[in-house]
Amino acid sequence: MARTLTAAQRRAVTGSDPATGRLSARADVCAALAAAGLAVRHGRSGHHGYYLSEEGLRQRAALAAAGAARQAADEASPPAAPAAPGGAFTADDGTGTAAADRGPGRTAEVAAAWEGLIGIRAVLLDGVTDVPAPWERERLVHAVALALEAAGCPPGGGPDASGYAVALSGQQGAVEVSWRGAESAGAAAGSLARCAVLLEARGWQCTRHRDRAGRPFLLVSPRRRA
């Protein structure tokens, strides 16, 4: 059960960024949540922000579940699926299902999302930032796509786009990264080798494979803490 929070604190927790857990409430509300162990202040000098702690993330899930239960009880007909929150960041998985603007605005969004993710790692892993946090392990496609996009790797998905594509694999705890739009299997393998270097530098481990048609792909999974 969620602990007792003020209305302002509940709004801050439930209104935190879905991808990073960053709080956008008033400073006094954020400080109160931090004092309660639900948030942690993190960031570079002059750019500090508050992020939900692991307990804060659990509280957000509990509040969301309670809200869904109340809605189900109050409505006679099944509720419609909720729309994604306005402005919520979604990493481009390169499959074309969530094609993103490639302009400067998108670059800034990706950079902010990656910085927030590093903050989540620091909070949930006691300062460690070079391996994925539990939050990422529950959202493998999003986390791997964000790592690639933040590293400047182009996503595929467009009719003429050459870039990565991230999808669930048949192996538990791993996703599959392929390269779309390459002129040959050799060119795709070379691009995926560069992807592997970028991902391994950001906390992921990669193994190289080929499917039955000879097309290369990577199996990507979280690297364990040393």
Side-chain angles (χ1 to χ4, degrees):
M1 180 180 295
R3 69 176 64 185
T4 302
L5 301 174
T6 67
Q9 290 170 347
R10 287 196 301 272
R11 288 194 297 271
V13 171
T14 57
S16 60
D17 188 282
T20 67
R22 185 182 178 110
L23 297 170
S24 57
R26 300 191 316 267
D28 60 317
V29 175
C30 294
L33 290 172
L38 300 180
V40 173
R41 195 174 184 222
H42 179 77
R44 297 190 302 270
S45 177
H47 297 278
H48 290 98
Y50 285 90
Y51 296 83
L52 290 180
S53 64
E54 187 169 5
E55 178 61 23
L57 293 171
R58 284 194 290 266
Q59 288 294 312
R60 184 174 68 181
L63 289 169
R70 286 194 299 271
Q71 182 179 6
D74 291 343
E75 295 182 2
S77 58
F89 176 83
T90 301
D92 193 338
D93 61 14
T95 63
T97 57
D101 175 19
R102 313 287 190 212
R106 176 65 181 184
T107 301
E109 286 183 350
V110 171
W114 178 251
E115 182 177 354
L117 187 57
I118 293 300
I120 288 177
R121 290 183 178 184
V123 169
L124 300 185
L125 300 177
D126 299 323
V128 174
T129 60
D130 61 353
V131 294
W135 185 91
E136 295 172 80
R137 296 168 189 267
E138 297 173 359
R139 303 162 177 81
L140 288 173
V141 170
H142 174 90
V144 170
L146 175 55
L148 287 170
E149 197 173 359
C153 192
D160 301 315
S162 176
Y164 67 81
V166 185
L168 293 173
S169 72
Q171 181 173 320
Q172 186 175 7
V175 293
E176 182 177 309
V177 177
S178 57
W179 193 267
R180 297 187 172 189
E183 295 181 357
S184 66
S191 295
L192 288 174
R194 292 189 290 274
C195 288
V197 171
L198 295 172
L199 288 169
E200 287 165 359
R202 287 161 176 77
W204 301 88
Q205 58 186 17
C206 308
T207 56
R208 296 164 175 79
H209 304 270
R210 288 183 181 269
D211 63 17
R212 292 183 179 180
R215 292 183 292 263
F217 66 92
L218 302 174
L219 274 181
V220 181
S221 58
R223 188 171 67 233
R224 297 183 181 275
R225 295 179 66 174

